[in-house]
Amino acid sequence: MTDPQAIQPSALDQLPDRDPEETAEWQASLDAVAKAAGPHRAAYLMRRTLERAEGNGIALPKLLETDYVNTIPTAAEPSAPGDEEMERRITAWNRWNAAAMVTRGSKHGVGGHIATFASAAWLYETGFNHFFKGKEADGSGDQLYIQGHASPGIYARAFLDGRLTEQHLDNFRQEAGGDGLPSYPHPRRLPWLWEFPTVSMGLGPLSAIYQARFNRYLTNRGIKDVSASHVWAFLGDGEMDEPESTAALALASREGLDNLTFVINCNLQRLDGPVRANFKIVQELEAQFRGAGWNVVKSLWGSAWDELFQLDTTGALVRRLREVPDAQVQTYQTRGAAYIREDFFGKDPALAELAKLLSDDKILECFHLSRGGHEARKVFAAYKAAVEFKGAPTVILAQTVKGHTLGEGFASKNANHQMKKLSVDEFKAMRDLLELPISDSQFVDGVVPYGHPGADSPEVRYLQERRAALGGPAPARRTHALAPLPAPADKTFASFDKGSGTQNVATTMAFVRLVKDLVRDKETGRRWVPIVPDEARTFGMESLFPSLGIYSPKGQTYEPVDRDQLMYYKEAKNGQILNEGITEAGSMADFIAASTAYSTHGEAMIPFYIFYSMFGWQRTADQMWQLGDQLGRGFLVGATAGRTTLTGEGLQHADGHSPVIAATNPAALSYDPAFAYEIAAIVKDGLRRMYGEAAPGEDQNVFYYLTVYNEPMPQPAKPSAPGVEEGILKGLYRFNTAESAGVEVAAANAPRIQLLGSGTAIHWVLKAQRMLAEEWGVASDVWSATSWTELRRDALEADAALLRGEERQPYVRRALQGAEGPVLAVSDYMRQVPDQIAQWVEQDWSSLGADGFGISDTREAARRHFGVDAESIVVAALAQLARRGEVKATAVKEARERYGL
């Protein structure tokens, strides 16, 4: 049977060989080396040759993996500035207080994590002492994405430099009293310290990439020069399994984001065991990042290994390090010298000979303690290489031991992520190891003390001097005293009040038209950030391409195929539109960066992100929680919304639930507008609240979610009745009555019903209003429910006020007060959406909605299937009135038969 590999054509076979004789000589040389010195030597020479070619700029495919050694040789390590012994003492205090804080909190059952910071302490401390720029530095300082489980170490450092007190530390994870510390980096809970929420794993690395990209966007568009800012993302090697962690690696390299550094703490453990038990996570990550075009720096081994590598004249040590799986490396961390001699060195005769030159103490020092991530000199060298590298982002793979310095009970144990405390004896052993001046007498009643060298101690002065030199404290979140943005001219919004006449306009198009007018505003137009994941033409946004341009750091290096058309595809270095391709997660990360620029950079930006509604909340809701935590502001727009409007797509592509999910997010103001003038009123008020003069007590740190539809319908004029504007914003107003709609009912005392509709459902309701009057003699008033969620929130606040002894009536009850007859609510979503307000409606309540999976068919057929079309509304209204004895029961049966229901 023919070997498949033998007939695979090589890429080189496609290229002409100008000198076959020379090629044969090179191949013969390689064969000779392999025969004389072995295949390992031949592989070594090939790797070094490829590295030389790469260094000389010769275009060759890159090596995806290098040896399991440090990228920066010891001889090439720069000398770190500062006082290394002083920094060791500072780090020791921070290690102690981080462990003490979590241990003391465990007495209250609140948990916490000790082992992560123990492994990563030097990764943070080296950055704080020498690299991380504060808010007073050039641009906006650096942006730090702190690994969530390392938060105790960050609190410990803030305690050392005087930003936190012992009381704060004692209230770790106990926030209800007001002086507590949140479990992880939560800007909404501790807004002066934390800038970026990161503990929902995978979102930190994704957001860091788009933050670095948005920094370039601000600079290239001339909004603010933040080219001096650097984005640092601290991640765990287990966290890299999250798909979001690596989702945007190619974007970072494609756009040359050398203002970005990932620091991956490779302690080889995830939450409950090894990250890659039978493999090597460092090598896997190196290949992944190198393949994506990143600069990779490995800092794996500490200085104790230098002697071993010098003794390795055959390369056997490097080969053995490449083949030992991670779980075995973890085992070496917990075993004695005899085991390591036999299992690690005993596998190769050359290594066995090398081991004879090593003492047991030397072996234990190397395998138990000496890691690249635990030595300031190694970390400094890696960081310096990262910030000096140009043309691509850098990832630092720093090997550490999870639970380092916490004692044998913690280090490299599978369960250490769940271990919340140290015993008194373990603390005393840790104290001795760290050489801290804490006496036994300070352990009162078995409670571990916090340690502090004193506010005027050399350690604290050094720490504060280093931070002052780097631009102030870090991490820190800045609250800028920004002047309110001037409101756009009223005529921009008022133009929608007159309606569209006989022209059919979908609310998606109405929103896009509004934005087109707003981005032309001389004062605030440049601050809009349109974000769309690929399908801009679906939403009618192609008209913005030539006028605003699509952002690209390279500009436009080609002639677009549609250049001769009016709405051609225009890319520009200062382009305003972020057209992301097919990535809702990336678009949300864009939105988060833009929506928080008011704090991160002191520049208020107005992002709107328009997307297929079913690919928003159901797909990226975790990022929307991240957005709320980070106090973002802007407009999310769920387009082609509703379960029955996106014809032919069906099942999961039909959104019948996004308002339900949006309602769960306290920072989201969710609206389902039916008409163009409602959209204009909501956007106008949103701009006022988030960017202008917020009313007393109004939280500016909110974002809006608007659902808009792709169903062209006539847009009516805004009713002139009083209270319409208030009703639009609060969530409900009477659009018309039977009388004002000109619907004639024969009987003077005809039965009456109140029909509530939201979004596109208002049109079925209006049709039902006519049918009820003309065919069944029933009068009905139609109400536009722009926000079921805001109505519910107002009612919940009213209930809470009553419990406090305050007299307050929910708006929905006030609006419907005196409305005659029962209430029937209709939306293009599951009934749970309108049912949010049922308990506060005094009238008899009933609702219709599109519950269940979506279905592929025409709009009319889909609405009949879900029972929300006009005919179904008529039958439901008659049934409700029949139960009250206001119409004959036979009318319901007759209607069903007439309409074929």
Side-chain angles (χ1 to χ4, degrees):
M1 184 174 179
T2 305
D3 180 2
Q5 296 299 321
I7 61 174
Q8 291 292 325
S10 165
L12 296 178
D13 292 339
Q14 313 302 316
L15 303 176
D17 189 343
R18 294 187 303 175
D19 193 339
E21 186 176 347
E22 182 184 35
T23 303
E25 290 175 0
W26 276 77
Q27 291 171 336
S29 297
L30 182 64
D31 293 342
V33 171
K35 184 176 181 180
H40 296 300
R41 177 62 181 170
Y44 175 86
L45 291 175
M46 287 299 298
R47 287 198 300 272
R48 292 296 175 264
T49 302
L50 287 170
E51 288 172 358
R52 174 60 64 89
E54 183 178 337
N56 289 338
I58 298 174
L60 285 173
K62 292 184 177 180
L63 286 171
L64 292 186
E65 285 187 35
T66 60
D67 289 325
Y68 203 69
V69 296
N70 294 347
T71 302
I72 303 171
T74 302
E77 290 173 1
S79 56
D83 186 331
E84 189 170 334
E85 172 57 24
M86 184 70 74
E87 292 174 15
R88 185 198 66 78
R89 296 204 301 270
I90 291 171
T91 305
W93 284 116
N94 291 339
R95 286 182 181 278
W96 176 272
N97 286 323
M101 173 174 52
V102 175
T103 297
R104 288 168 68 138
S106 69
K107 295 181 181 296
H108 304 287
V110 295
H113 302 285
I114 303 177
T116 294
F117 177 74
S119 67
W122 276 112
L123 302 179
Y124 291 106
E125 291 300 322
T126 302
F128 285 130
N129 288 327
H130 300 289
F131 290 94
F132 304 156
K133 296 186 288 292
K135 296 300 181 185
E136 302 304 323
D138 291 341
S140 304
D142 288 354
Q143 287 82 54
L144 307 181
Y145 288 77
I146 304 295
Q147 191 179 0
H149 293 139
S151 61
I154 309 305
Y155 290 141
R157 194 172 214 274
F159 169 64
L160 202 65
D161 73 8
R163 292 199 290 165
L164 293 176
T165 66
E166 283 195 19
Q167 183 179 355
H168 285 115
L169 300 193
D170 264 347
N171 286 332
F172 174 61
R173 291 192 169 198
Q174 299 171 73
E175 300 179 74
D179 279 331
L181 298 180
S183 52
Y184 304 122
H186 289 303
R188 187 169 284 273
R189 291 299 184 210
L190 203 62
W192 60 268
L193 180 72
W194 298 120
E195 199 166 15
F196 306 106
T198 54
V199 83
S200 190
M201 291 190 183
L203 300 192
L206 180 67
S207 289
I209 289 173
Y210 281 88
Q211 182 65 58
R213 195 281 198 89
F214 191 74
N215 289 358
R216 291 281 172 84
Y217 173 89
L218 286 179
T219 300
N220 288 336
R221 287 198 54 220
I223 301 292
K224 182 179 181 180
D225 184 358
V226 294
S227 55
S229 293
H230 200 88
V231 177
W232 300 82
F234 288 84
L235 319 167
D237 47 359
E239 181 177 6
M240 300 310 294
D241 285 346
E242 290 283 5
E244 294 90 347
S245 295
T246 55
L249 298 186
L251 177 141
S253 60
R254 183 170 66 243
E255 299 203 359
L257 298 181
D258 50 24
N259 60 339
L260 170 68
T261 297
F262 276 15
V263 181
I264 302 182
N265 176 19
C266 298
N267 57 34
L268 314 185
Q269 290 183 248
R270 53 164 73 108
L271 304 185
D272 288 311
V275 179
R276 293 290 183 272
N278 295 298
F279 307 93
K280 302 191 78 62
I281 185 60
V282 169
Q283 299 300 89
E284 178 183 320
L285 291 174
E286 178 183 30
Q288 194 169 14
F289 278 89
R290 280 181 174 270
W294 286 52
N295 175 45
V296 179
V297 177
K298 294 196 288 191
S299 183
L300 307 181
W301 307 110
S303 56
W305 283 81
D306 291 347
E307 179 185 346
L308 274 68
F309 289 125
Q310 290 172 1
L311 294 171
D312 181 30
T313 57
T314 66
L317 177 61
V318 173
R319 290 197 301 273
R320 181 68 177 136
L321 289 174
R322 281 178 61 88
E323 69 187 25
V324 175
D326 283 351
Q328 192 64 23
V329 173
Q330 185 180 348
T331 297
Y332 294 149
Q333 176 69 33
T334 64
R335 299 299 178 87
Y339 178 87
I340 298 171
R341 283 183 187 276
E342 177 182 352
D343 191 84
F344 181 82
F345 292 99
K347 301 294 185 181
D348 186 298
L351 282 182
E353 288 300 312
L354 187 154
K356 292 178 181 178
L357 305 175
L358 306 175
S359 67
D360 285 355
D361 287 344
K362 181 65 175 179
I363 288 176
L364 293 178
E365 180 186 12
C366 288
F367 283 85
H368 285 194
L369 301 174
S370 189
R371 300 290 188 274
H374 293 326
E375 294 189 12
R377 182 185 179 99
K378 304 290 185 184
V379 176
F380 181 88
Y383 284 8
K384 190 170 189 293
V387 297
E388 292 179 353
F389 190 86
K390 300 303 176 186
T394 293
V395 59
I396 295 169
L397 303 174
Q399 187 161 262
T400 66
V401 175
K402 193 167 185 178
H404 184 58
T405 74
L406 296 180
E408 294 182 0
F410 267 82
S412 284
K413 295 298 176 65
N414 282 340
N416 60 21
H417 188 80
Q418 281 72 39
M419 298 163 71
K420 312 299 183 187
K421 59 185 177 180
L422 298 173
S423 68
V424 169
D425 288 341
E426 286 172 324
F427 265 110
K428 289 178 179 179
M430 181 182 177
R431 170 200 62 190
D432 296 341
L433 176 66
L434 298 177
E435 300 177 353
L436 290 172
I438 298 173
S439 65
D440 287 354
S441 62
Q442 291 178 260
F443 290 82
V444 180
D445 297 328
V447 177
V448 59
Y450 295 120
H452 200 294
D456 197 39
S457 64
E459 292 90 340
V460 173
R461 288 202 306 272
Y462 180 89
L463 181 156
Q464 292 174 341
E465 287 167 3
R466 291 304 310 139
R467 289 312 314 157
L470 288 165
R477 181 178 179 276
R478 177 70 58 83
T479 301
H480 298 269
L482 298 179
L485 293 183
D490 281 343
K491 65 179 181 180
T492 303
F493 306 99
S495 63
F496 290 84
D497 291 351
K498 60 185 179 182
S500 65
T502 58
Q503 182 184 7
N504 289 337
V505 177
T507 51
T508 298
M509 293 307 304
F511 178 82
V512 172
R513 288 183 188 179
L514 174 62
V515 170
K516 285 173 62 178
D517 292 340
L518 291 171
V519 296
R520 295 192 188 104
D521 185 85
K522 292 181 179 180
E523 297 290 339
T524 60
R526 64 197 292 263
R527 297 192 174 274
W528 282 86
V529 183
I531 302 167
V532 60
D534 189 49
E535 299 201 73
R537 297 179 192 277
T538 299
F539 306 132
M541 291 178 59
E542 67 271 24
S543 61
L544 298 177
F545 288 170
S547 58
L548 300 184
I550 299 166
Y551 173 74
S552 170
K554 289 185 176 294
Q556 193 157 43
T557 61
Y558 61 91
E559 182 178 354
V561 67
D562 54 359
R563 183 61 182 87
D564 58 341
Q565 298 179 17
L566 182 63
M567 293 182 286
Y568 68 96
Y569 198 84
K570 177 186 175 183
E571 296 190 77
K573 190 172 183 179
N574 64 346
Q576 193 165 348
I577 301 169
L578 292 174
N579 192 18
E580 283 307 344
I582 305 174
T583 167
E584 286 81 13
S587 299
M588 269 306 303
D590 266 334
F591 188 89
I592 291 169
S595 70
T596 53
Y598 73 92
S599 172
T600 308
H601 296 299
E603 295 288 344
M605 305 299 288
I606 312 171
F608 81 87
Y609 164 34
I610 187 167
F611 51 90
Y612 273 96
S613 66
M614 67 284 182
F615 292 145
W617 286 91
Q618 81 175 31
R619 195 162 193 164
T620 55
D622 197 11
Q623 287 178 285
M624 283 132 178
W625 279 96
Q626 179 189 15
L627 167 66
D629 190 350
Q630 202 168 317
L631 289 76
R633 305 169 183 173
F635 297 95
L636 296 176
V637 184
T640 60
R643 182 144 280 163
T644 70
T645 60
L646 188 56
T647 55
E649 298 289 343
L651 212 88
Q652 75 203 61
H653 283 60
D655 170 26
H657 51 280
S658 70
V660 178
I661 308 175
T664 66
N665 191 310
L669 276 62
S670 177
Y671 285 89
D672 186 27
F675 305 124
Y677 66 81
E678 294 176 351
I679 293 173
I682 293 164
V683 171
K684 178 181 179 181
D685 195 65
L687 290 173
R688 174 200 62 79
R689 176 169 179 171
M690 294 185 291
Y691 301 97
E693 298 282 1
E698 264 188 331
D699 184 4
Q700 283 190 283
N701 299 317
V702 296
F703 61 93
Y704 283 66
Y705 176 56
L706 279 69
T707 46
V708 294
Y709 300 84
N710 66 334
E711 188 170 14
M713 300 293 287
Q715 295 297 322
K718 181 179 177 180
S720 58
V724 170
E725 191 82 17
E726 179 190 26
I728 292 172
L729 302 179
K730 286 190 174 293
L732 183 69
Y733 69 96
R734 182 152 36 198
F735 175 72
N736 70 22
T737 63
E739 292 74 19
S740 66
V743 179
E744 294 185 7
V745 181
N749 59 344
R752 185 177 288 265
I753 188 170
Q754 307 298 317
L755 302 177
L756 279 57
S758 68
T760 196
I762 201 80
H763 300 289
W764 324 329
V765 169
L766 288 169
K767 181 180 177 182
Q769 181 187 40
R770 293 193 301 275
M771 294 172 66
L772 282 167
E774 295 169 1
E775 300 179 30
W776 304 98
V778 173
S780 56
D781 302 335
V782 173
W783 299 70
S784 179
T786 54
S787 179
W788 310 101
T789 301
E790 288 306 297
L791 290 172
R792 176 179 176 81
R793 287 176 177 172
D794 172 81
L796 289 172
E797 290 172 6
D799 286 356
L802 285 173
L803 292 175
R804 296 191 300 267
E806 303 171 17
E807 286 296 326
R808 182 175 163 188
Q809 190 177 33
Y811 173 81
V812 63
R813 185 171 297 163
R814 194 156 39 90
L816 289 170
Q817 197 165 35
E820 184 182 345
V823 168
L824 174 60
V826 188
S827 83
D828 201 17
Y829 302 95
M830 55 200 305
R831 289 176 60 184
Q832 187 175 341
V833 174
D835 283 351
Q836 291 180 87
I837 66 170
Q839 72 186 81
W840 293 281
V841 174
E842 293 181 329
Q843 293 88 343
D844 290 344
W845 173 271
S846 184
S847 63
L848 295 176
D851 287 79
F853 285 111
I855 186 172
S856 299
D857 214 312
T858 64
R859 289 179 180 137
E860 293 75 15
R863 287 162 189 168
R864 174 59 58 91
H865 170 80
F866 287 110
V868 292
D869 60 352
E871 290 79 4
S872 298
I873 295 171
V874 169
V875 172
L878 292 175
Q880 204 170 359
L881 291 168
R883 286 194 295 271
R884 293 162 56 93
E886 297 180 22
V887 300
K888 294 179 179 179
T890 55
V892 181
K893 182 175 182 294
E894 182 184 346
R896 280 202 304 267
E897 293 173 351
R898 180 184 301 182
Y899 303 135
L901 295 178

